[in-house]
Amino acid sequence: GAGVSQSPRYKVAKRGQDVALRCDPISGHVSLFWYQQALGQGPEFLTYFQNEAQLDKSGLPSDRFFAERPEGSVSTLKIQRTQQEDSAVYLCASSFRAGQGAGDTEAFFGQGTRLTVV
Amino acid sequence: RKEVEQDPGPFNVPEGATVAFNCTYSNSASQSFFWYRQDCRKEPKLLMSVYSSGNEDGRFTAQLNRASQYISLLIRDSKLSDSATYLCVVTDTGNQFYFGTGTSLTVIP
C-alpha cells in the first residue's frame, strides 16, 4: 500500500516483557515521527528522525524506550521491561520534507499499535 | 507550558449548527499550521492546512492570527459525520509536529 504501515496493530505484553513496534513510512519520506497517545489525549511526541539520523528524542519517557531507523526507511520503537503506564497507542507518522523551510507539508499517520501491558 | 493548547470540550451541537474551535501556540517562530481530524480508534488525518490569509474548504474555514498566536476552525451546517476529535497541529523550524490535546465534537440528530 501507499500509506504508513505499522505492525503489529495490537500487542498485549506482560509487565517486564520487551516489545518492538515497527513502522514502514511512505516511500521517499525523509521525516519520521513516533507519538504516544493515551486514551482521550492528543498524540505526545516521542522522537523524530530525518533519514537515519535521530534528531530529537526528547519525548522518550525513559531509558527503557529506544528507537532506530538504521537505513533511513523502516523504524522500530523498542520498549524494554514494559510497565503498565506504557499502555497506549503508538503512532508513527512520516513527512516528505524536513528541516527549516519545510513549509506546508503534512504528516501522514499509520493506524498505530495499541499496546496493552498486563 | 504545552506548545499547543486546545479546549478539550466536549462540544455537543445539533445538526445544522455552526461550531468554532480555537487553539493557541507558544512558539512565535512556528512555521506551519494544520487541523487534523481523528475518529475514534483511528489515526489522525489531515483536515486542512491553515494560512495567514485564512482558507475555506466547503463548510470548513480555518484562520491563523500570527500576532496573537491563535488558530481557529469554523464548521458550518454541522453533519452527524463531523463527529470526531479535531487536533490543532503546529510545526517548528525543524519540521517537528506538535499536537494539541484535541477537541471532541459530537453532532446530535
Side-chain angles (χ1 to χ4, degrees):
Chain A
V4 178
S5 177
Q6 290 187 248
S7 61
R9 289 289 311 281
Y10 303 93
K11 176 70 179 177
V12 178
K14 290 185 177 179
R15 193 162 55 122
Q17 187 178 351
D18 295 350
V19 298
L21 313 180
R22 178 187 169 105
C23 174
D24 279 90
I26 294 172
S27 178
H29 276 197
V30 171
S31 296
L32 185 146
F33 308 87
W34 282 99
Y35 291 87
Q36 181 189 61
Q37 187 171 27
L39 191 65
Q41 299 294 314
E44 293 282 346
F45 169 76
L46 293 177
T47 187
Y48 164 49
F49 290 87
Q50 189 177 118
N51 296 307
E52 69 278 5
Q54 190 174 19
L55 298 188
D56 188 344
K57 56 181 180 180
S58 62
L60 296 176
S62 77
D63 59 7
R64 297 186 295 105
F65 286 70
F66 172 76
E68 60 183 5
R69 193 186 185 196
E71 297 178 357
S73 55
V74 172
S75 178
T76 304
L77 176 67
K78 298 179 180 177
I79 309 173
Q80 297 176 322
R81 304 181 303 282
T82 52
Q83 304 293 316
Q84 283 189 316
E85 62 262 28
D86 300 335
S87 296
V89 175
Y90 290 85
L91 292 164
C92 176
S94 70
S95 174
F96 178 67
R97 290 183 181 172
Q100 193 166 357
D104 187 20
T105 306
E106 69 178 285
F108 295 85
F109 282 82
Q111 291 183 298
T113 295
R114 184 175 297 277
L115 173 65
T116 304
V117 182
V118 297
Chain B
R1 183 183 172 187
K2 287 182 72 70
E3 292 276 346
V4 181
E5 302 267 9
Q6 277 185 265
D7 178 353
F11 284 68
N12 299 313
V13 303
E15 267 188 292
T18 296
V19 61
F21 305 139
N22 302 316
C23 165
T24 57
Y25 60 96
S26 60
N27 184 355
S28 60
S30 296
Q31 293 282 304
S32 301
F33 309 87
F34 307 93
W35 283 101
Y36 274 70
R37 170 188 170 135
Q38 187 172 26
D39 292 288
C40 187
R41 294 183 174 266
K42 299 286 188 180
E43 73 275 21
K45 292 185 177 178
L46 180 69
L47 177 66
M48 60 196 304
S49 302
V50 188
Y51 305 112
S52 297
S53 54
N55 49 301
E56 187 173 312
D57 182 3
R59 296 180 295 107
F60 299 83
T61 301
Q63 293 201 311
L64 166 66
N65 184 322
R66 283 191 180 269
S68 302
Q69 295 178 207
Y70 171 97
I71 305 160
S72 66
L73 176 68
L74 183 76
I75 306 176
R76 291 181 299 279
D77 189 22
S78 299
K79 310 291 185 191
L80 296 177
S81 58
D82 294 335
S83 298
T85 296
Y86 291 83
L87 297 159
C88 177
V89 184
V90 172
T91 70
D92 63 10
T93 54
N95 198 40
Q96 177 59 275
F97 286 75
Y98 294 95
F99 286 77
T101 53
T103 299
S104 174
L105 172 66
T106 301
V107 180
I108 304 164

